[in-house]
Amino acid sequence: MAARIPDDFRDLFAKPALAHLATLMPDGAPQVTPVWVDYDGEHILVNTIADRQKGRNMTERPAVALDIVDPDDPYRYLSVRGRVVAQTMGGAEEHIDALARRYMGTPNYPRHDPARPRTLYKIAPEHVVAQGRIGEVR
């Protein structure tokens, strides 16, 4: 079942707010990694090198969870459970450059490595919790 990112929490995808992405290892153990994230209006986007552990996990076991804490207010956060519904290498290099502009303030991602191409993963939110001020949960 699809869930929506509340409009008043979409700003978290416009500022350099790190997300913590939880994926599942082959033995079912959780693996958590801080990642840069983006939102296309329907899917949360995660960009990584496909042969990294989180990439292998998302390909083999698409159930994921992530949280994003507002860097300006640590009590405001978005928590999402969902599934990876698509992955593509198309546009992934340009996308990481756009993320580098937001997160690093540089025009291009400084660690491009043609030998390790990037993959863009699209996550469909299925359950969303948006926490605003203390005690305010949606």
Side-chain angles (χ1 to χ4, degrees), residues 106-122:
T106 62
N108 297 302
Y109 183 65
R111 296 174 56 195
H112 281 290
D113 182 354
R116 299 183 77 197
R118 303 195 70 85
T119 300
L120 187 60
Y121 295 85
K122 293 185 177 187

Side-chain angles (χ1 to χ4, degrees), residues 67-137:
D67 68 32
I68 308 167
V69 176
D70 188 335
D72 302 319
D73 179 356
Y75 298 103
R76 181 174 179 258
Y77 67 87
L78 188 64
S79 182
V80 178
R81 290 193 312 256
R83 299 188 78 63
V84 175
V85 295
Q87 62 186 60
T88 182
M89 294 173 79
E93 298 295 330
E94 296 80 9
H95 182 256
I96 197 67
D97 285 338
L99 289 175
R101 286 190 284 281
R102 181 185 331 144
Y103 284 91
M104 301 175 77
T106 62
N108 297 302
Y109 183 65
R111 296 174 56 195
H112 281 290
D113 182 354
R116 299 183 77 197
R118 303 195 70 85
T119 300
L120 187 60
Y121 295 85
K122 293 185 177 187
I123 300 166
E126 295 175 347
H127 179 79
V128 174
V129 173
Q131 169 77 45
R133 289 179 233 101
I134 293 177
E136 178 187 61
V137 179

Side-chain angles (χ1 to χ4, degrees), residues 22-72:
T23 62
L24 296 171
M25 298 290 288
D27 66 358
Q31 190 253 359
V32 178
T33 308
V35 294
W36 294 350
V37 291
D38 205 359
Y39 185 64
D40 68 4
E42 182 179 358
H43 300 102
I44 294 174
L45 308 176
V46 173
N47 188 319
T48 190
I49 295 170
D51 68 354
R52 290 206 171 135
Q53 187 66 56
K54 65 182 163 282
R56 291 192 309 268
N57 288 349
M58 287 189 287
T59 297
E60 296 166 15
R61 289 163 299 283
V64 299
L66 59 89
D67 68 32
I68 308 167
V69 176
D70 188 335
D72 302 319

